[in-house]
Amino acid sequence: TALLAADATVDLAKNDGGTPLFVAAQYGHHKVVTALLAADATVDLAMNNGGTPLLAAAAKIGRALLPVCAPR
């Protein structure tokens, strides 16, 4: 949350298109996912290979993060 407080770019993507939200969802970091979404991270921003945070959440732990990442 320190980066968010410092106005970090929430949707800044790596070379592969992976955003902080994608990585947090991929590794099952529920609190980070929630914080990024509260900071208006784009939930459906796809990686270069088409992967989205929603797909990452489903692949990792599924049910716990799916409601959090589902498009609003």
Side-chain angles (χ1 to χ4, degrees):
T1 58
L3 288 172
L4 294 176
D7 292 325
T9 304
V10 178
D11 289 325
L12 184 63
K14 302 185 309 180
N15 290 341
D16 64 0
T19 62
L21 182 59
F22 181 89
V23 174
Q26 181 179 33
Y27 288 100
H29 297 299
H30 189 276
K31 289 181 182 181
V32 177
V33 168
T34 302
L36 289 167
L37 290 173
D40 295 323
T42 305
V43 72
D44 57 356
L45 194 60
M47 292 183 53
N48 298 346
N49 67 3
T52 64
L54 183 60
L55 292 173
K60 177 62 179 174
I61 58 172
R63 296 185 181 121
L65 281 177
L66 285 176
V68 176
C69 289
R72 301 171 197 181

